[in-house]
Amino acid sequence: MNIEQLRDYCITKKGVTEHFPFDEDVLVFKVGNKMFLLTSLKNWEKNEATINLKCDPEYALGLRANYESVEPGYHMSKKHWNTISLYKGELAIPLVKQLIDDSYDLIVKSLSKKIRETLQ
């Protein structure tokens, strides 16, 4: 997966917007104005691509125990966010996409009913 494929996958989800709220390096994807994925463009350029994703706390612990590529979220809540290293080759693309979907779904579930209805 390259940065264009990641962007294409995220931006096709309902209600997703992309932003650079922190600086010109950190690309953030949001739904309902809440982040579900963050990534550093500089890391992609250095072939050290990582993404931060929201995750159910219990599932996050299991992922971290089973995959070296999954670590507690860098500069994020360690309980609710994971940092995924994409270029270590350990995680298959379908799993990465599922983790992105899970992060998106967790955020959508946290939105107000009114906002969720606009995404249907």
Side-chain angles (χ1 to χ4, degrees), residues 1-4 6 19-29 35 37-53 74-76 82-87:
M1 177 177 277
N2 61 40
I3 189 68
E4 290 85 12
L6 175 72
H19 307 268
F20 288 91
F22 307 112
D23 55 32
E24 295 177 2
D25 174 46
V26 180
L27 174 60
V28 175
F29 292 96
M35 299 184 293
L37 186 149
L38 297 86
T39 189
S40 164
L41 298 181
K42 289 177 185 174
N43 284 354
W44 286 85
E45 291 171 2
K46 295 188 295 187
N47 232 16
E48 298 171 0
T50 60
I51 57 176
N52 282 7
L53 298 170
Y74 181 70
H75 287 302
M76 305 295 286
N82 284 329
T83 297
I84 314 289
S85 298
L86 298 177
Y87 287 168

mmCIF file of all heavy atoms in Angstrom, residues 1-4 6 19-29 35 37-53 74-76 82-87:
data_model
loop_
_atom_site.group_PDB
_atom_site.id
_atom_site.type_symbol
_atom_site.label_atom_id
_atom_site.label_comp_id
_atom_site.label_asym_id
_atom_site.label_seq_id
_atom_site.Cartn_x
_atom_site.Cartn_y
_atom_site.Cartn_z
ATOM 1 N N MET A 1 0.850 -1.180 0.000
ATOM 2 C CA MET A 1 0.000 0.000 0.000
ATOM 3 C C MET A 1 0.894 1.240 0.000
ATOM 4 O O MET A 1 1.804 1.346 0.808
ATOM 5 C CB MET A 1 -0.906 -0.017 1.238
ATOM 6 C CG MET A 1 -1.789 1.205 1.378
ATOM 7 S SD MET A 1 -2.912 1.147 2.803
ATOM 8 C CE MET A 1 -4.246 0.193 2.115
ATOM 9 N N ASN A 2 0.616 2.154 -0.914
ATOM 10 C CA ASN A 2 1.336 3.419 -0.916
ATOM 11 C C ASN A 2 0.409 4.529 -0.430
ATOM 12 O O ASN A 2 -0.768 4.288 -0.167
ATOM 13 C CB ASN A 2 1.933 3.716 -2.302
ATOM 14 C CG ASN A 2 0.875 3.843 -3.380
ATOM 15 O OD1 ASN A 2 -0.198 4.427 -3.174
ATOM 16 N ND2 ASN A 2 1.158 3.314 -4.560
ATOM 17 N N ILE A 3 0.937 5.731 -0.316
ATOM 18 C CA ILE A 3 0.155 6.826 0.257
ATOM 19 C C ILE A 3 -1.078 7.154 -0.594
ATOM 20 O O ILE A 3 -2.133 7.488 -0.053
ATOM 21 C CB ILE A 3 1.033 8.089 0.498
ATOM 22 C CG1 ILE A 3 0.272 9.154 1.284
ATOM 23 C CG2 ILE A 3 1.559 8.639 -0.810
ATOM 24 C CD1 ILE A 3 -0.031 8.803 2.708
ATOM 25 N N GLU A 4 -0.966 7.042 -1.909
ATOM 26 C CA GLU A 4 -2.120 7.309 -2.771
ATOM 27 C C GLU A 4 -3.220 6.274 -2.567
ATOM 28 O O GLU A 4 -4.403 6.614 -2.529
ATOM 29 C CB GLU A 4 -1.700 7.357 -4.251
ATOM 30 C CG GLU A 4 -0.858 8.552 -4.629
ATOM 31 C CD GLU A 4 0.636 8.339 -4.356
ATOM 32 O OE1 GLU A 4 1.048 7.177 -4.080
ATOM 33 O OE2 GLU A 4 1.377 9.329 -4.393
ATOM 34 N N LEU A 6 -3.683 4.532 0.172
ATOM 35 C CA LEU A 6 -4.241 4.803 1.493
ATOM 36 C C LEU A 6 -5.254 5.938 1.407
ATOM 37 O O LEU A 6 -6.372 5.822 1.909
ATOM 38 C CB LEU A 6 -3.138 5.165 2.482
ATOM 39 C CG LEU A 6 -3.621 5.593 3.867
ATOM 40 C CD1 LEU A 6 -4.151 4.399 4.638
ATOM 41 C CD2 LEU A 6 -2.520 6.289 4.630
ATOM 42 N N HIS A 19 -7.286 16.584 6.220
ATOM 43 C CA HIS A 19 -6.819 17.844 6.779
ATOM 44 C C HIS A 19 -5.338 17.761 7.123
ATOM 45 O O HIS A 19 -4.782 16.677 7.250
ATOM 46 C CB HIS A 19 -7.577 18.170 8.077
ATOM 47 C CG HIS A 19 -9.061 18.128 7.935
ATOM 48 N ND1 HIS A 19 -9.800 19.224 7.613
ATOM 49 C CD2 HIS A 19 -9.944 17.106 8.048
ATOM 50 C CE1 HIS A 19 -11.077 18.896 7.539
ATOM 51 N NE2 HIS A 19 -11.192 17.605 7.802
ATOM 52 N N PHE A 20 -4.755 18.934 7.308
ATOM 53 C CA PHE A 20 -3.415 19.078 7.870
ATOM 54 C C PHE A 20 -3.527 20.025 9.062
ATOM 55 O O PHE A 20 -3.065 21.162 9.015
ATOM 56 C CB PHE A 20 -2.446 19.631 6.820
ATOM 57 C CG PHE A 20 -2.089 18.654 5.750
ATOM 58 C CD1 PHE A 20 -2.840 18.583 4.580
ATOM 59 C CD2 PHE A 20 -1.016 17.793 5.903
ATOM 60 C CE1 PHE A 20 -2.511 17.677 3.585
ATOM 61 C CE2 PHE A 20 -0.684 16.877 4.913
ATOM 62 C CZ PHE A 20 -1.438 16.813 3.756
ATOM 63 N N PRO A 21 -4.158 19.575 10.165
ATOM 64 C CA PRO A 21 -4.436 20.489 11.277
ATOM 65 C C PRO A 21 -3.219 20.853 12.129
ATOM 66 O O PRO A 21 -3.246 21.855 12.835
ATOM 67 C CB PRO A 21 -5.452 19.711 12.117
ATOM 68 C CG PRO A 21 -5.128 18.286 11.844
ATOM 69 C CD PRO A 21 -4.688 18.245 10.403
ATOM 70 N N PHE A 22 -2.164 20.055 12.064
ATOM 71 C CA PHE A 22 -1.014 20.273 12.938
ATOM 72 C C PHE A 22 0.127 20.974 12.218
ATOM 73 O O PHE A 22 0.746 21.881 12.745
ATOM 74 C CB PHE A 22 -0.526 18.951 13.525
ATOM 75 C CG PHE A 22 -1.617 18.167 14.198
ATOM 76 C CD1 PHE A 22 -2.060 16.966 13.667
ATOM 77 C CD2 PHE A 22 -2.227 18.643 15.348
ATOM 78 C CE1 PHE A 22 -3.059 16.242 14.286
ATOM 79 C CE2 PHE A 22 -3.245 17.934 15.971
ATOM 80 C CZ PHE A 22 -3.663 16.730 15.431
ATOM 81 N N ASP A 23 0.421 20.508 11.013
ATOM 82 C CA ASP A 23 1.506 21.065 10.205
ATOM 83 C C ASP A 23 1.364 20.507 8.796
ATOM 84 O O ASP A 23 0.376 19.839 8.491
ATOM 85 C CB ASP A 23 2.877 20.732 10.808
ATOM 86 C CG ASP A 23 3.097 19.240 11.032
ATOM 87 O OD1 ASP A 23 2.556 18.426 10.251
ATOM 88 O OD2 ASP A 23 3.828 18.882 11.975
ATOM 89 N N GLU A 24 2.342 20.750 7.942
ATOM 90 C CA GLU A 24 2.269 20.274 6.559
ATOM 91 C C GLU A 24 2.668 18.813 6.409
ATOM 92 O O GLU A 24 2.623 18.269 5.312
ATOM 93 C CB GLU A 24 3.147 21.149 5.661
ATOM 94 C CG GLU A 24 2.667 22.579 5.568
ATOM 95 C CD GLU A 24 3.578 23.461 4.737
ATOM 96 O OE1 GLU A 24 4.577 22.952 4.183
ATOM 97 O OE2 GLU A 24 3.289 24.656 4.644
ATOM 98 N N ASP A 25 3.062 18.184 7.494
ATOM 99 C CA ASP A 25 3.524 16.799 7.458
ATOM 100 C C ASP A 25 2.436 15.799 7.826
ATOM 101 O O ASP A 25 2.324 14.744 7.206
ATOM 102 C CB ASP A 25 4.725 16.626 8.401
ATOM 103 C CG ASP A 25 5.170 15.182 8.511
ATOM 104 O OD1 ASP A 25 5.292 14.511 7.461
ATOM 105 O OD2 ASP A 25 5.408 14.717 9.634
ATOM 106 N N VAL A 26 1.631 16.091 8.817
ATOM 107 C CA VAL A 26 0.692 15.114 9.360
ATOM 108 C C VAL A 26 -0.657 15.218 8.656
ATOM 109 O O VAL A 26 -1.395 16.180 8.833
ATOM 110 C CB VAL A 26 0.519 15.282 10.883
ATOM 111 C CG1 VAL A 26 -0.468 14.254 11.417
ATOM 112 C CG2 VAL A 26 1.864 15.150 11.590
ATOM 113 N N LEU A 27 -0.941 14.199 7.853
ATOM 114 C CA LEU A 27 -2.209 14.093 7.144
ATOM 115 C C LEU A 27 -3.208 13.393 8.052
ATOM 116 O O LEU A 27 -2.912 12.326 8.601
ATOM 117 C CB LEU A 27 -2.026 13.302 5.849
ATOM 118 C CG LEU A 27 -3.275 12.971 5.039
ATOM 119 C CD1 LEU A 27 -4.012 14.233 4.597
ATOM 120 C CD2 LEU A 27 -2.896 12.111 3.833
ATOM 121 N N VAL A 28 -4.379 13.990 8.217
ATOM 122 C CA VAL A 28 -5.407 13.470 9.111
ATOM 123 C C VAL A 28 -6.690 13.237 8.323
ATOM 124 O O VAL A 28 -7.127 14.113 7.580
ATOM 125 C CB VAL A 28 -5.682 14.461 10.270
ATOM 126 C CG1 VAL A 28 -6.829 13.981 11.141
ATOM 127 C CG2 VAL A 28 -4.422 14.670 11.099
ATOM 128 N N PHE A 29 -7.270 12.068 8.504
ATOM 129 C CA PHE A 29 -8.581 11.771 7.928
ATOM 130 C C PHE A 29 -9.599 11.795 9.060
ATOM 131 O O PHE A 29 -9.365 11.217 10.118
ATOM 132 C CB PHE A 29 -8.575 10.407 7.227
ATOM 133 C CG PHE A 29 -7.727 10.403 5.993
ATOM 134 C CD1 PHE A 29 -6.418 9.954 6.036
ATOM 135 C CD2 PHE A 29 -8.236 10.862 4.789
ATOM 136 C CE1 PHE A 29 -5.627 9.964 4.901
ATOM 137 C CE2 PHE A 29 -7.455 10.878 3.652
ATOM 138 C CZ PHE A 29 -6.144 10.432 3.705
ATOM 139 N N MET A 35 -11.021 12.588 14.214
ATOM 140 C CA MET A 35 -9.946 11.833 13.567
ATOM 141 C C MET A 35 -10.156 10.328 13.682
ATOM 142 O O MET A 35 -10.539 9.843 14.739
ATOM 143 C CB MET A 35 -8.607 12.165 14.221
ATOM 144 C CG MET A 35 -8.199 13.603 14.136
ATOM 145 S SD MET A 35 -6.559 13.901 14.837
ATOM 146 C CE MET A 35 -6.837 13.569 16.571
ATOM 147 N N LEU A 37 -7.734 8.455 11.396
ATOM 148 C CA LEU A 37 -6.435 8.021 10.883
ATOM 149 C C LEU A 37 -5.518 9.230 10.772
ATOM 150 O O LEU A 37 -5.935 10.276 10.283
ATOM 151 C CB LEU A 37 -6.590 7.350 9.519
ATOM 152 C CG LEU A 37 -5.339 6.717 8.914
ATOM 153 C CD1 LEU A 37 -5.703 5.522 8.058
ATOM 154 C CD2 LEU A 37 -4.523 7.694 8.096
ATOM 155 N N LEU A 38 -4.282 9.060 11.226
ATOM 156 C CA LEU A 38 -3.245 10.077 11.083
ATOM 157 C C LEU A 38 -2.018 9.412 10.495
ATOM 158 O O LEU A 38 -1.723 8.245 10.801
ATOM 159 C CB LEU A 38 -2.827 10.661 12.438
ATOM 160 C CG LEU A 38 -3.826 11.409 13.268
ATOM 161 C CD1 LEU A 38 -4.618 10.466 14.133
ATOM 162 C CD2 LEU A 38 -3.105 12.406 14.136
ATOM 163 N N THR A 39 -1.270 10.157 9.677
ATOM 164 C CA THR A 39 -0.036 9.614 9.126
ATOM 165 C C THR A 39 0.935 10.749 8.802
ATOM 166 O O THR A 39 0.518 11.851 8.447
ATOM 167 C CB THR A 39 -0.308 8.750 7.875
ATOM 168 O OG1 THR A 39 0.892 8.073 7.507
ATOM 169 C CG2 THR A 39 -0.829 9.570 6.708
ATOM 170 N N SER A 40 2.218 10.466 8.925
ATOM 171 C CA SER A 40 3.271 11.427 8.611
ATOM 172 C C SER A 40 3.731 11.217 7.170
ATOM 173 O O SER A 40 4.205 10.136 6.813
ATOM 174 C CB SER A 40 4.454 11.240 9.556
ATOM 175 O OG SER A 40 5.606 11.890 9.050
ATOM 176 N N LEU A 41 3.608 12.258 6.356
ATOM 177 C CA LEU A 41 4.059 12.157 4.962
ATOM 178 C C LEU A 41 5.573 11.987 4.882
ATOM 179 O O LEU A 41 6.067 11.282 4.002
ATOM 180 C CB LEU A 41 3.605 13.384 4.180
ATOM 181 C CG LEU A 41 2.094 13.587 4.082
ATOM 182 C CD1 LEU A 41 1.770 14.835 3.268
ATOM 183 C CD2 LEU A 41 1.400 12.369 3.501
ATOM 184 N N LYS A 42 6.299 12.600 5.801
ATOM 185 C CA LYS A 42 7.760 12.450 5.814
ATOM 186 C C LYS A 42 8.165 10.994 6.025
ATOM 187 O O LYS A 42 9.126 10.520 5.422
ATOM 188 C CB LYS A 42 8.384 13.331 6.897
ATOM 189 C CG LYS A 42 8.322 14.806 6.581
ATOM 190 C CD LYS A 42 8.890 15.635 7.709
ATOM 191 C CE LYS A 42 8.692 17.117 7.419
ATOM 192 N NZ LYS A 42 9.104 17.952 8.556
ATOM 193 N N ASN A 43 7.424 10.288 6.877
ATOM 194 C CA ASN A 43 7.736 8.874 7.097
ATOM 195 C C ASN A 43 7.510 8.056 5.827
ATOM 196 O O ASN A 43 8.266 7.117 5.548
ATOM 197 C CB ASN A 43 6.911 8.307 8.247
ATOM 198 C CG ASN A 43 7.429 8.738 9.596
ATOM 199 O OD1 ASN A 43 8.474 9.373 9.713
ATOM 200 N ND2 ASN A 43 6.693 8.409 10.635
ATOM 201 N N TRP A 44 6.478 8.385 5.060
ATOM 202 C CA TRP A 44 6.246 7.683 3.792
ATOM 203 C C TRP A 44 7.413 7.930 2.847
ATOM 204 O O TRP A 44 7.870 6.999 2.183
ATOM 205 C CB TRP A 44 4.939 8.138 3.151
ATOM 206 C CG TRP A 44 3.722 7.615 3.828
ATOM 207 C CD1 TRP A 44 3.088 8.143 4.913
ATOM 208 C CD2 TRP A 44 2.975 6.443 3.482
ATOM 209 N NE1 TRP A 44 1.994 7.385 5.261
ATOM 210 C CE2 TRP A 44 1.909 6.341 4.395
ATOM 211 C CE3 TRP A 44 3.105 5.480 2.487
ATOM 212 C CZ2 TRP A 44 0.975 5.302 4.345
ATOM 213 C CZ3 TRP A 44 2.176 4.452 2.430
ATOM 214 C CH2 TRP A 44 1.131 4.364 3.360
ATOM 215 N N GLU A 45 7.895 9.170 2.801
ATOM 216 C CA GLU A 45 9.021 9.510 1.925
ATOM 217 C C GLU A 45 10.289 8.760 2.316
ATOM 218 O O GLU A 45 11.113 8.437 1.463
ATOM 219 C CB GLU A 45 9.270 11.017 1.945
ATOM 220 C CG GLU A 45 8.165 11.821 1.281
ATOM 221 C CD GLU A 45 8.303 13.317 1.504
ATOM 222 O OE1 GLU A 45 9.295 13.758 2.148
ATOM 223 O OE2 GLU A 45 7.417 14.051 1.034
ATOM 224 N N LYS A 46 10.451 8.475 3.611
ATOM 225 C CA LYS A 46 11.625 7.754 4.109
ATOM 226 C C LYS A 46 11.426 6.237 4.066
ATOM 227 O O LYS A 46 12.260 5.499 4.565
ATOM 228 C CB LYS A 46 11.942 8.179 5.546
ATOM 229 C CG LYS A 46 12.366 9.612 5.687
ATOM 230 C CD LYS A 46 12.847 9.938 7.087
ATOM 231 C CE LYS A 46 11.762 9.828 8.116
ATOM 232 N NZ LYS A 46 12.144 10.287 9.459
ATOM 233 N N ASN A 47 10.316 5.786 3.479
ATOM 234 C CA ASN A 47 9.999 4.356 3.426
ATOM 235 C C ASN A 47 9.802 3.769 4.822
ATOM 236 O O ASN A 47 10.150 2.611 5.068
ATOM 237 C CB ASN A 47 11.060 3.587 2.647
ATOM 238 C CG ASN A 47 10.451 2.728 1.573
ATOM 239 O OD1 ASN A 47 9.301 2.897 1.203
ATOM 240 N ND2 ASN A 47 11.229 1.802 1.058
ATOM 241 N N GLU A 48 9.262 4.575 5.725
ATOM 242 C CA GLU A 48 8.978 4.156 7.096
ATOM 243 C C GLU A 48 7.514 4.463 7.421
ATOM 244 O O GLU A 48 7.198 5.022 8.478
ATOM 245 C CB GLU A 48 9.896 4.890 8.076
ATOM 246 C CG GLU A 48 11.366 4.596 7.865
ATOM 247 C CD GLU A 48 12.272 5.481 8.702
ATOM 248 O OE1 GLU A 48 11.769 6.338 9.466
ATOM 249 O OE2 GLU A 48 13.492 5.320 8.595
ATOM 250 N N ALA A 49 6.634 4.118 6.512
ATOM 251 C CA ALA A 49 5.224 4.486 6.622
ATOM 252 C C ALA A 49 4.574 3.901 7.865
ATOM 253 O O ALA A 49 4.675 2.705 8.135
ATOM 254 C CB ALA A 49 4.468 4.026 5.384
ATOM 255 N N THR A 50 3.921 4.776 8.616
ATOM 256 C CA THR A 50 3.123 4.362 9.767
ATOM 257 C C THR A 50 1.790 5.096 9.718
ATOM 258 O O THR A 50 1.697 6.185 9.148
ATOM 259 C CB THR A 50 3.813 4.687 11.111
ATOM 260 O OG1 THR A 50 4.011 6.090 11.197
ATOM 261 C CG2 THR A 50 5.121 3.951 11.256
ATOM 262 N N ILE A 51 0.783 4.468 10.296
ATOM 263 C CA ILE A 51 -0.514 5.117 10.439
ATOM 264 C C ILE A 51 -0.980 4.928 11.874
ATOM 265 O O ILE A 51 -0.703 3.895 12.490
ATOM 266 C CB ILE A 51 -1.569 4.575 9.442
ATOM 267 C CG1 ILE A 51 -1.756 3.061 9.578
ATOM 268 C CG2 ILE A 51 -1.213 4.957 8.017
ATOM 269 C CD1 ILE A 51 -2.844 2.472 8.689
ATOM 270 N N ASN A 52 -1.639 5.931 12.400
ATOM 271 C CA ASN A 52 -2.260 5.835 13.718
ATOM 272 C C ASN A 52 -3.744 5.610 13.519
ATOM 273 O O ASN A 52 -4.393 6.356 12.773
ATOM 274 C CB ASN A 52 -2.050 7.117 14.525
ATOM 275 C CG ASN A 52 -0.675 7.230 15.118
ATOM 276 O OD1 ASN A 52 0.197 6.422 14.848
ATOM 277 N ND2 ASN A 52 -0.460 8.242 15.920
ATOM 278 N N LEU A 53 -4.272 4.589 14.202
ATOM 279 C CA LEU A 53 -5.677 4.219 14.080
ATOM 280 C C LEU A 53 -6.303 4.023 15.455
ATOM 281 O O LEU A 53 -5.671 3.476 16.359
ATOM 282 C CB LEU A 53 -5.814 2.900 13.310
ATOM 283 C CG LEU A 53 -5.323 2.885 11.874
ATOM 284 C CD1 LEU A 53 -5.300 1.464 11.340
ATOM 285 C CD2 LEU A 53 -6.200 3.765 11.012
ATOM 286 N N TYR A 74 1.554 6.408 18.835
ATOM 287 C CA TYR A 74 2.586 7.423 18.992
ATOM 288 C C TYR A 74 1.925 8.787 19.156
ATOM 289 O O TYR A 74 1.154 9.222 18.301
ATOM 290 C CB TYR A 74 3.518 7.402 17.771
ATOM 291 C CG TYR A 74 4.643 8.393 17.815
ATOM 292 C CD1 TYR A 74 5.700 8.226 18.705
ATOM 293 C CD2 TYR A 74 4.647 9.495 16.976
ATOM 294 C CE1 TYR A 74 6.742 9.126 18.738
ATOM 295 C CE2 TYR A 74 5.690 10.405 17.010
ATOM 296 C CZ TYR A 74 6.736 10.223 17.891
ATOM 297 O OH TYR A 74 7.767 11.121 17.940
ATOM 298 N N HIS A 75 2.208 9.456 20.259
ATOM 299 C CA HIS A 75 1.622 10.763 20.591
ATOM 300 C C HIS A 75 0.107 10.728 20.690
ATOM 301 O O HIS A 75 -0.576 11.724 20.435
ATOM 302 C CB HIS A 75 2.047 11.847 19.592
ATOM 303 C CG HIS A 75 3.449 12.288 19.734
ATOM 304 N ND1 HIS A 75 3.952 12.819 20.897
ATOM 305 C CD2 HIS A 75 4.486 12.272 18.858
ATOM 306 C CE1 HIS A 75 5.229 13.123 20.732
ATOM 307 N NE2 HIS A 75 5.583 12.790 19.512
ATOM 308 N N MET A 76 -0.442 9.573 21.033
ATOM 309 C CA MET A 76 -1.891 9.411 21.140
ATOM 310 C C MET A 76 -2.184 8.654 22.440
ATOM 311 O O MET A 76 -1.277 8.168 23.097
ATOM 312 C CB MET A 76 -2.437 8.606 19.950
ATOM 313 C CG MET A 76 -2.096 9.136 18.569
ATOM 314 S SD MET A 76 -2.804 10.719 18.206
ATOM 315 C CE MET A 76 -4.491 10.278 17.935
ATOM 316 N N ASN A 82 -3.481 2.767 18.084
ATOM 317 C CA ASN A 82 -2.316 1.985 17.692
ATOM 318 C C ASN A 82 -1.555 2.716 16.599
ATOM 319 O O ASN A 82 -2.154 3.414 15.775
ATOM 320 C CB ASN A 82 -2.727 0.623 17.119
ATOM 321 C CG ASN A 82 -3.155 -0.357 18.162
ATOM 322 O OD1 ASN A 82 -2.681 -0.340 19.294
ATOM 323 N ND2 ASN A 82 -4.063 -1.249 17.792
ATOM 324 N N THR A 83 -0.252 2.520 16.587
ATOM 325 C CA THR A 83 0.575 2.930 15.463
ATOM 326 C C THR A 83 0.941 1.661 14.703
ATOM 327 O O THR A 83 1.473 0.715 15.283
ATOM 328 C CB THR A 83 1.843 3.668 15.923
ATOM 329 O OG1 THR A 83 1.449 4.875 16.583
ATOM 330 C CG2 THR A 83 2.743 4.010 14.743
ATOM 331 N N ILE A 84 0.615 1.654 13.417
ATOM 332 C CA ILE A 84 0.836 0.492 12.557
ATOM 333 C C ILE A 84 1.983 0.801 11.596
ATOM 334 O O ILE A 84 1.916 1.783 10.855
ATOM 335 C CB ILE A 84 -0.432 0.187 11.716
ATOM 336 C CG1 ILE A 84 -1.705 0.218 12.551
ATOM 337 C CG2 ILE A 84 -0.263 -1.084 10.903
ATOM 338 C CD1 ILE A 84 -1.864 -0.903 13.507
ATOM 339 N N SER A 85 3.019 -0.031 11.607
ATOM 340 C CA SER A 85 4.126 0.112 10.657
ATOM 341 C C SER A 85 3.790 -0.704 9.414
ATOM 342 O O SER A 85 3.691 -1.932 9.481
ATOM 343 C CB SER A 85 5.429 -0.376 11.269
ATOM 344 O OG SER A 85 5.770 0.402 12.391
ATOM 345 N N LEU A 86 3.635 -0.017 8.300
ATOM 346 C CA LEU A 86 3.170 -0.693 7.087
ATOM 347 C C LEU A 86 4.278 -1.383 6.303
ATOM 348 O O LEU A 86 4.029 -2.414 5.686
ATOM 349 C CB LEU A 86 2.455 0.313 6.174
ATOM 350 C CG LEU A 86 1.198 0.945 6.760
ATOM 351 C CD1 LEU A 86 0.625 1.966 5.792
ATOM 352 C CD2 LEU A 86 0.171 -0.116 7.094
ATOM 353 N N TYR A 87 5.481 -0.848 6.301
ATOM 354 C CA TYR A 87 6.511 -1.385 5.419
ATOM 355 C C TYR A 87 7.354 -2.480 6.043
ATOM 356 O O TYR A 87 8.322 -2.918 5.459
ATOM 357 C CB TYR A 87 7.397 -0.264 4.898
ATOM 358 C CG TYR A 87 6.729 0.600 3.855
ATOM 359 C CD1 TYR A 87 7.285 1.792 3.456
ATOM 360 C CD2 TYR A 87 5.541 0.226 3.252
ATOM 361 C CE1 TYR A 87 6.685 2.580 2.495
ATOM 362 C CE2 TYR A 87 4.933 1.004 2.298
ATOM 363 C CZ TYR A 87 5.504 2.183 1.922
ATOM 364 O OH TYR A 87 4.926 2.966 0.960
#
